[in-house]
Structures are given as structure tokens and as C-alpha cells.
Amino acid sequence: MVSNQQHTEDAVWQLLSTVKDPEVPVLSVVELGIIRKVCVENSDTVTISITPTYSGCPAMDVIRMQLHMVLLENGFKKVNIEQTLSPAWTTDWMTKEGKEKLKAYGIAPPLPKQAVCNPEVFQKEEAIQCPQCLSYHTHMVSRFGSTACKALYQCLDCKEPFDYFKCH
Amino acid sequence: MNAETINLNPASTNTMAIHALLHLADDSLIMGHRCSEWCGHGPILEQDIALTNIALDFVGQSRHLYQYIATQLQDISNDVALTLIDFDILPEKINEDSLAYLRDTHAFKNHLLVELPNGDWAQTILKICSFSVYRFYLFQLLQKHTDLNLAGIAEKSLKEVQYHVKWSSEWIIRLGDGTHESKSRMLQAIEFLWPYMGEMFEPVMYEKVYYHLDDVTYTSLKNNWLDKMNQIFEQATLPTQSLNQWHQTGGKIGKHTEHLGYILAEMQFLPRTFPNAIW
């Protein structure tokens, strides 16, 4: 329990970093880069600004509820959660630690360069590293995977299928 | 003149803005619904998942738009809001759900194209591709709109639309330049859907007023779209098309094909039968 004296913005960021993305449970919402602003208005009231990863991401409602819970549990009486759409979320906002955690979890982290995020057809695919055996000898099975943020890949060396958190 | 008469005036900026936003939201919702109909019926699992992902993007975009419309309507009196929206069941609250579920066909403003049945894989692909290419160019313009909420939604959606364009145009090329059967299916899809394309480039009053796009911009939107589609058709070894022929219109002013009623019957059944039902 954080006492009222400790309701600084830093303390709130700490609390928020305990909230995980329900679809990628190793990643906190802070590491994912979807918390855009924290504003402690007074000892009772805090306003958080979040941005969705994808417009239809069903995890956003769960995340919103969890943010409410953790802040109420820690002494805030009024929690406002606002949505900011612009600038649009990009995987560039994912922290370095977040990308390492993804890889350790078995999901290939997004590449930094947004080369595949344009509509040109049949582009040469980028080499995505297999999170299991670290081989670059992999191929894309489907541009769309188990959730909106992932594509499906397979390693041609160790043969394991894996998720790639696509750059966006 | 009091606020209500200003708002009720069919040419007022408020009315135009709400109707244009409804048009965008309805397009996304009906597209999303049609894509979701493929869930469990895709030709292979990966493509089934691709289509449900695309459906989710569209439904998500429509939620952003309906939510924004609902907040806009909270600023004006309830009677005016109800008149503007044309609900056929009076909602307890104007929110994203009542906007989606409590309006009948004539209140929907989507393009006729998006409500047409999925047909076969070729028809579905061509519909997604042509609509997504249109959205790609339109949202590039709208992300610079002075209404920052709309601009934000356009900017966000644009990233998703790019994936849809890429995925669907690759499929057109595969099918067109594929087997005799796949090519003939693409040709049939073009023949069936083409008369519905022109409606996207014939702006109605609310689009003209709210989008702030002049005739030159509209013409270049149309030309960009046609160039891109023909470029895809050429790569697919399919005949290039023009937009000079007669085309269907009406969806944007609430005059729909019979297909929309069946979509709404399925989509709206539950919230109408069990009002306020929650998961």
C-alpha cells in the first residue's frame, strides 16, 4: 500500500509496471509502450492516458480494468483513464527490456525498422530470428497470427513454429 | 435562432459531421461483420485467422468512431440527438452499442459495396481490397483533418489498413495469375462487384461538407484508387478497369440492397431481444 505522501508520478509508473498485457503476460503495459501520460492531480485523483495497440485489440478492456484496480487498491479514490489515438502506437515504443522479455518467452520481438509496414505487395521478407535456436533461417507462415499484434513463423532449422510480434 | 434549430437544420455543420462520422462507422462495422462471417469457414486455418484479424480491426475502428459520435451527441439536447440519429428503438443511452444495434437499415449510411454477400473467396478478396485501397487514400487525407479526434482515428486505422491492402492485393495476384479456375472466379468477382465501386467516389453532401475535400482532391482520390487497382490487376494478368460506366448508389443516404436487413437481423437480434445483456 502506497501512502498518500508517496503518490508521486514515479510511484504511479511503478504501480503501472505491475500490470501485464493479458495476451503477452511477460510484458508490462509500460514495457509495451501504451501508457502515454500519468498525471497525479491530487492525493486522491490520478489521470492515465493510454493508447491502443490495434483498434480492435480485445485486451484493451482488460488492461483498462486492471489499471483501475491497481490504482484503487493503492489508495487513489478517483482514477480517470483516457484514450489517446494520436500519435498512433508503434512497436518502436516498446522498451529494450520488453523486447528481451518477449524473446525469452519465445516470441520474436519486433524489428526496429518499419520495412514491412507499407502496402507494397510481395516484398522480400525480412529475416526474423528464431527465438528458440537463434537461426535466421525462418519463414513466414501467415501475416496474421493468434492475436492482432503477431504473425506466424516457422524456423527451418529447428522446425519449431513461433510467433513474431510484428512491427507496427 | 436557438441552438436546436441550428442543429436540426439538415445542412448545419453539426448534422453533417454526425452523418459523415456515422457513414465511416457504419462502413467499418458492416465490413467487420461480413469478414467475421468467414470465421470457421476459411479455406485454410491461416487465412481464416487472417480474416478474423481483419474483422477485428474493422470492428475496432467502428467502435472508436461510434464512441466519438456518442460523445459529440452528449453536447447537444437529447431530442435533437435522437432526431439526428434516427433510432428505431429509443435507447436508454446513446453510446456505441445503441448506435450499432438500435438503428434500422434506412439509418445506416454504409456503401452498398460493403453489405454485399461475401460470395466466394475471390469476391471477398476483391471487396476487401477495393475498399481497403479506398480507405488507404481517404484516411491519408483525413489524418490531416482539423477535427483532431477524426484525424487520430484515421491515423490509427491507416496502419491497419496497410496490412489489409497488402494481404488482399497479394491474393488477387495469386488468384488472377493462378489456375484457369481461380482466374475465372476473379473475373466473375470483378463483373459482379464493379458496378458498386463508383459510389465511393461520388461524395454526398455530408462528405463534401465535413471532409473539407475539394473537387480536385476528390478526383485525385478516385484516380489514385483506380491506378492502384489497375496496377494490381495488371500484375494479376486481369483486364484493367475504368469507372466510366453507370454505377449503383444509395447506401450513403440510407437506400440499401436487401442484404443489409439480413445482416442487421443477425447482428442486432441479441441486444434487441435481451436489452442490456452483458458478457
Side-chain angles (χ1 to χ4, degrees), chain B residues 228-261:
Chain B
K228 176 75 182 170
M229 292 306 294
N230 277 335
Q231 202 187 318
I232 297 167
F233 289 153
E234 271 173 24
Q235 271 185 279
T237 67
L238 292 163
T240 56
Q241 306 292 319
S242 81
L243 282 171
N244 303 328
Q245 311 89 325
W246 174 86
H247 59 261
Q248 296 275 4
T249 54
K252 296 198 274 201
I253 51 165
K255 293 180 180 165
H256 291 278
T257 67
E258 73 273 28
H259 305 295
L260 184 63

Side-chain angles (χ1 to χ4, degrees), chain A residues 33-75:
Chain A
I34 60 170
I35 309 289
R36 302 313 299 157
K37 212 168 75 185
V38 169
C39 181
V40 177
E41 302 186 6
N42 54 50
S43 58
D44 285 342
T45 312
V46 60
T47 301
I48 311 285
S49 174
I50 59 173
T51 191
T53 51
Y54 284 74
S55 296
C57 180
M60 288 309 289
D61 290 338
V62 180
I63 291 172
R64 201 182 282 262
M65 195 174 69
Q66 287 178 341
L67 292 172
H68 259 285
M69 302 268 280
V70 76
L71 292 165
L72 292 176
E73 274 170 12
N74 284 280

